[in-house]
């Protein structure tokens, strides 16, 4: 239930439309002087300018208005096209460079069917259609701008993939509102080089929670740009990538400057991503923040509020992100860097992962977590330095089993458990750590606890006022511990 002071759906849509820069409906520039008038169902077979002079409500197949010629412009002048026997407006294969503008479209099937290349849909109101608002039937380079696409029974904007004509590649959706559609707001299948920018995508999934994504991506997708959108209150994910292909990868995602909030499942929910840039976005109060397996990717400068970052990172950079209320929970973090992030008040561990290998964890601040500041299971060959881990309810930093890692220049203070709790595997495979020049103080357990470690070096640390002891060992304990300041 919305809070009493929450804006209404109408207010959200109006604000989103204003932010997107949509033209005010009802005031249109004059149509071209040479335009051919349309006052009923028609087939356009010649290039030129056309203008609607009245509303059109027909029972006609394949469409109320069908276009088979290239270089056509249709100006609706605010009139409505309706059809109970076919599409409202169809742009056929071979009809290239067709523009439809200033038109209301509402019928029993799809509002628009676009199969020609280089179509432009500008300042159209596409609502209440019995199927999808706009069906891109493999037309390339369709541009949808300043449109309102809402309350359609299935999908707001659907990019299909047909075996004979291929995908709706290079689709662009700009400054549009896509809201309250029955399934996805925008759905793209096997689409390359698409872009969605400065759009409000909100409240989609009214008829099916499992498919109620703001933007849905199906099967192999390459070079998608999502920039400066508002992805709000969709029933499932803000953006979802799912696939039945053996190739489960989204290549080249560029997601920058989006506000992703109050979606029922993930803000961004993906399978595998390669060469992704996820930067300067806000993820707030989604069921989950971002989940995906990132390879050779950058996750930088994002803000996470009451939702986490989950999945895995390989050969990736996670830098300068802020987390409040939830932290980072990964399956694996390998050959990657976690740098200059801030995690405050996580409801579980601040940063947790089952496997970390040959990675750098540096200059992060993790405070006030309900669990450990950092919890890891298998921990091999990593470099941990210049971190501030304080006021966490568990340990400052825990490795359950690990070997060959370095801890330097960390400040680990005021945690309820141990400051650093570092473990090897067992008697047959003990851990080895280099622990140098750290400050561990005022922790509820030991300042530094070594469990089943051999040949570790614990030197030149400042270890003060820890309730459970200064530097403690359990199990195997053939280590070098010297030149530490104990106070």
């Amino acid at each position: 239930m919305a809070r009493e002071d929450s804006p209404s759906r109408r207010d959200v849509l109006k604000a989103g439309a204003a932010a997107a820069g949509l033209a005010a409906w009802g005031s249109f520039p004059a149509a071209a002087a040479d335009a051919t008038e349309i006052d009923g169902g028609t087939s356009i077979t010649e290039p030129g300018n056309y203008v609607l002079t009245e509303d059109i409500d027909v029972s006609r197949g394949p469409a109320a208005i069908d276009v088979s010629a290239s270089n056509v412009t249709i100006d609706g002048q605010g009139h409505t096209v309706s059809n109970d026997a076919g599409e409202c407006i169809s742009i056929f294969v071979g009809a290239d460079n067709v523009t439809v503008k200033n038109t209301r479209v509402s019928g029993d099937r799809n509002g628009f069917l676009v199969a020609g290349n280089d179509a432009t849909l500008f300042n159209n109101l596409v609502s209440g259609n019995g199927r999808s608002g706009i069906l891109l039937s493999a037309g390339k380079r369709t541009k949808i701008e300043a449109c309102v696409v809402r309350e359609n029974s299935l999908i707001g904007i659907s990019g299909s993939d047909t075996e004979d004509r291929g995908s709706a590649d290079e689709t662009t959706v700009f400054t549009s509102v896509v809201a309250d559609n029955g399934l996805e707001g925008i759905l793209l299948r096997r689409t390359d080089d698409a872009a969605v920018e400065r759009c409000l995508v909100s409240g989609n999934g009214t008829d099916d929670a499992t498919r109620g994504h703001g933007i849905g991506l199906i099967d192999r997708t390459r070079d998608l740009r999502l920039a400066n959108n508002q992805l709000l209150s969709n029933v499932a994910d803000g953006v979802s990538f799912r696939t039945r292909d053996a190739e489960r990868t989204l290549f080249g995602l560029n997601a920058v400057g989006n506000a992703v909030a109050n979606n029922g499942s993930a803000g961004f929910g993906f399978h595998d991503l390669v060469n992704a840039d996820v930067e300067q976005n806000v993820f707030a109060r989604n069921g989950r923040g971002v989940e995906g397996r990132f390879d050779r990717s950058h996750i930088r400068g994002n803000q996470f509020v009451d939702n986490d970052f989950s999945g895995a990172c390989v050969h990736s950079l996670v830098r300068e992100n802020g987390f409040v209320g939830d932290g980072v929970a990964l399956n694996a973090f390998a050959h990657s860097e976690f740098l200059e992030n801030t995690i405050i008040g996580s409801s579980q561990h601040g940063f947790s992962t089952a496997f970390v290998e040959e990675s750098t964890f540096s200059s992060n601040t993790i405070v006030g977590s309900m669990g450990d500041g950092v919890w890891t299971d298998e921990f091999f060959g990593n470099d941990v330095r210049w971190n501030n881990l304080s006021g966490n309810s568990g340990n400052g930093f825990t490795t359950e089993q690990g070997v060959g890692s370095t801890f330097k220049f960390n400040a680990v203070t005021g945690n309820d458990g141990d400051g650093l709790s570092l473990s090897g595997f067992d008697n047959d495979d003990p851990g080895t750590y280099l622990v140098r020049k750290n400050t561990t103080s005022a922790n509820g357990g030991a300042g530094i606890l070594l469990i089943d470690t051999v040949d570790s070096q614990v030197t030149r640390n400042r270890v003060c006022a820890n309730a459970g002891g200064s530097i403690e060992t359990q199990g195997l304990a053939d280590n070098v511990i010297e030149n530490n300041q104990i106070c």
Side-chain angles (χ1 to χ4, degrees):
M1 180 179 295
R3 299 181 311 180
E4 291 184 2
D5 59 349
S6 296
S8 68
R9 168 72 59 195
R10 181 180 297 275
D11 290 339
V12 168
L13 293 175
K14 287 171 64 179
L22 298 180
W25 189 267
S27 177
F28 310 103
D34 61 346
T36 300
E37 295 183 350
I38 298 175
D39 58 6
T42 190
S43 297
I44 297 176
T45 59
E46 297 292 334
N49 296 306
Y50 295 81
V51 61
L52 272 63
T53 58
E54 59 184 74
D55 294 345
I56 297 173
D57 187 358
V58 297
S59 180
R60 183 179 188 270
I65 299 173
D66 56 75
V67 184
S68 57
S70 297
N71 302 312
V72 167
T73 296
I74 301 172
D75 186 344
Q77 285 291 296
H79 291 296
T80 299
V81 177
S82 298
N83 190 5
D84 63 9
E87 325 301 344
C88 292
I89 300 176
S90 289
I91 301 171
F92 292 156
V93 173
D96 299 335
N97 193 32
V98 174
T99 295
V100 182
K101 60 184 181 180
N102 306 329
T103 305
R104 295 175 185 260
V105 177
S106 183
D108 287 1
R109 296 182 63 180
N110 299 301
F112 285 95
L113 187 148
V114 180
N117 296 325
D118 301 297
T120 298
L121 307 180
F122 177 77
N123 198 37
N124 299 295
L125 176 58
V126 187
S127 66
N129 291 283
R131 294 185 181 176
S132 293
I134 300 171
L135 176 60
L136 308 176
S137 181
K140 311 291 186 186
R141 297 177 297 279
T142 300
K143 182 178 180 181
I144 300 167
E145 183 175 2
C147 292
V148 175
V149 185
R150 63 175 302 191
E151 297 178 350
N152 299 286
S153 295
L154 298 181
I155 300 162
I157 300 170
S158 178
S160 66
D161 171 38
T162 58
E163 184 175 348
D164 56 338
R165 296 195 296 273
S167 302
D169 294 335
E170 300 179 64
T171 296
T172 56
V173 186
F174 294 129
T175 58
S176 294
V177 172
V178 185
D180 299 320
N181 297 286
L183 303 179
E184 287 92 348
I186 300 172
L187 179 64
L188 301 174
R189 298 177 179 87
R190 297 183 64 84
T191 302
D192 294 346
D193 300 300
V196 181
E197 300 188 29
R198 295 182 61 203
C199 292
L200 172 66
V201 183
S202 176
N204 297 288
T206 57
D207 293 336
D208 188 340
T210 64
R211 288 188 57 186
H213 309 301
I215 299 174
L217 311 170
I218 295 181
D219 296 336
R220 189 267 307 134
T221 301
R222 298 178 185 270
D223 299 323
L224 171 67
R225 177 169 169 79
L226 303 175
N228 302 310
N229 301 290
Q230 299 176 64
L231 303 166
L232 308 176
S233 301
N234 297 287
V235 174
D237 296 342
V239 181
S240 171
F241 172 59
R242 60 193 188 275
T243 179
R244 296 178 296 272
D245 283 2
E247 185 179 337
R248 297 166 58 86
T249 304
L250 172 57
F251 292 91
L253 170 69
N254 179 242
V256 179
N258 301 285
V260 188
N262 296 315
N263 297 287
S265 295
F268 284 178
F270 300 125
H271 286 292
D272 296 341
L273 299 94
V274 175
N275 294 331
D277 289 309
V278 180
E279 301 188 0
Q280 303 296 328
N281 304 285
V282 175
F283 300 94
R285 296 177 298 278
N286 303 288
R288 301 178 302 281
V290 174
E291 59 180 2
R293 294 186 289 270
F294 290 86
D295 184 2
R296 287 162 281 169
S297 297
H298 295 87
I299 301 93
R300 184 166 184 170
N302 304 285
Q303 299 298 316
F304 293 77
V305 180
D306 294 334
N307 45 206
D308 63 5
F309 171 42
S310 61
C313 290
V314 179
H315 299 290
S316 293
L317 172 66
V318 182
R319 186 168 193 169
E320 297 174 338
N321 301 284
F323 299 84
V324 177
D326 278 301
V328 177
L330 300 174
N331 297 319
F333 194 78
H335 308 282
S336 296
E337 296 177 289
F338 192 83
L339 309 177
E340 301 175 71
N341 301 283
T342 300
I343 303 174
I344 299 174
S346 173
S347 61
Q348 301 183 44
H349 300 309
F351 177 101
S352 65
T353 180
F355 178 85
V356 189
E357 182 179 54
E358 295 185 14
S359 295
T360 299
F361 191 92
S362 178
S363 303
N364 302 287
T365 297
I366 304 179
V367 299
S369 301
M370 296 302 293
D372 294 345
V374 177
W375 178 91
T376 69
D377 189 359
E378 299 182 7
F379 197 74
F380 305 110
N382 301 294
D383 188 4
V384 181
R385 62 181 67 207
W386 297 114
N387 300 288
N388 176 17
L389 310 171
S390 64
N392 299 290
S393 295
N395 299 327
F397 200 115
T398 300
T399 66
E400 294 288 352
Q401 44 191 353
V403 65
S405 294
T406 297
F407 288 76
K408 286 186 175 182
F409 311 115
N410 300 287
V412 189
T413 62
N415 301 286
D416 290 352
D418 301 319
L420 300 176
S421 177
L422 310 178
S423 299
F425 283 90
D426 50 38
N427 291 350
D428 296 327
D429 195 3
T432 302
Y433 296 91
L434 173 62
V435 184
R436 180 174 294 170
K437 294 186 177 181
N438 302 282
T439 296
T440 62
S441 63
N443 296 290
I448 300 172
L449 175 62
L450 303 178
I451 303 172
D452 289 331
T453 64
V454 172
D455 295 328
S456 291
Q457 297 184 43
V458 182
T459 63
R460 303 178 69 182
N461 300 283
R462 187 173 188 272
V463 185
C464 295
N466 297 285
S470 298
I471 301 173
E472 306 295 324
T473 61
Q474 295 178 9
L476 295 178
D478 187 10
N479 304 292
V480 176
I481 301 175
E482 62 185 16
N483 298 322
N484 298 287
Q485 180 184 355
I486 309 297
C487 52

